[in-house]
Amino acid sequence: MDKLQLADGLNNQTSQNSLKNLKKELLEMLNKELEECKDQRGKKKREIKKVSFLDEFGFQIAKVFVVPSFDEQEQSADDEKQLDEESSAILDPFFNTQLPKRKSSWMFNFQQPMHNVGKLIKRLQYQKVALESVTLRNDIQRLYGTVKVKRSCTDVQVFLRCTFNNWLTFKDHSAVLLNRGSDMIDTYFFDFKIPPNDINYKQIQFCVGCKLLDQQFWDDNDQRYYKLIA
């Protein structure tokens, strides 16, 4: 009887050892498969290079190019679509957000004021404020530039008044001081977003305003306003 119990005990111990070994082998196989899956995913990773550009005012414009490695495996249709979207993504330099791919086609309907220095100085003399330069960015749908102000006091507010519906409504966009000149001529910088040209927006008009204490002065391009047309 004792021999039978001893034999049964040995058999049970052997069975337990076999189960432990089997579990160990299964775990090793699973870990090996997981490592192989990770390696395959690692091969599919792409190297991303960023190329930065600066516009004429020193603001950064970043465009992301996705460069695949040479040993990269063939991608599925979904991966190709995602790659195209990433490679064409443009970041807004002011808000660092991805912009829509659609571009506008606005054009200036006026000459750059800085090209006629004599007229610019005359406007400053009589109007205290004058638009100096404008940059139109249809790719990011923004309009920005500089304004000259003849300083006569420290309490100065400079802004652009803009309309998309022929002055039925309008919106003011504040300009910020960029440079305080020693000749009492200060430079202000403005920037605002413009809508895409479509059936609802066919013309943009704006003028420059300046508040000096209780007085207001305007540069409205000799009552013709500054216009963008599509």
Side-chain angles (χ1 to χ4, degrees), residues 76-88:
S76 64
D78 293 337
D79 289 337
E80 290 288 351
K81 182 178 180 181
Q82 183 179 2
L83 178 61
D84 291 339
E85 292 176 353
E86 291 175 351
S87 62
S88 60

Side-chain angles (χ1 to χ4, degrees), residues 202-220:
K202 294 185 177 180
Q203 182 175 259
I204 297 176
Q205 301 181 68
F206 66 93
C207 57
V208 183
C210 176
K211 292 181 181 179
L212 299 173
L213 296 178
D214 295 332
Q215 292 181 301
Q216 286 192 7
F217 299 92
W218 296 92
D219 176 12
D220 56 6

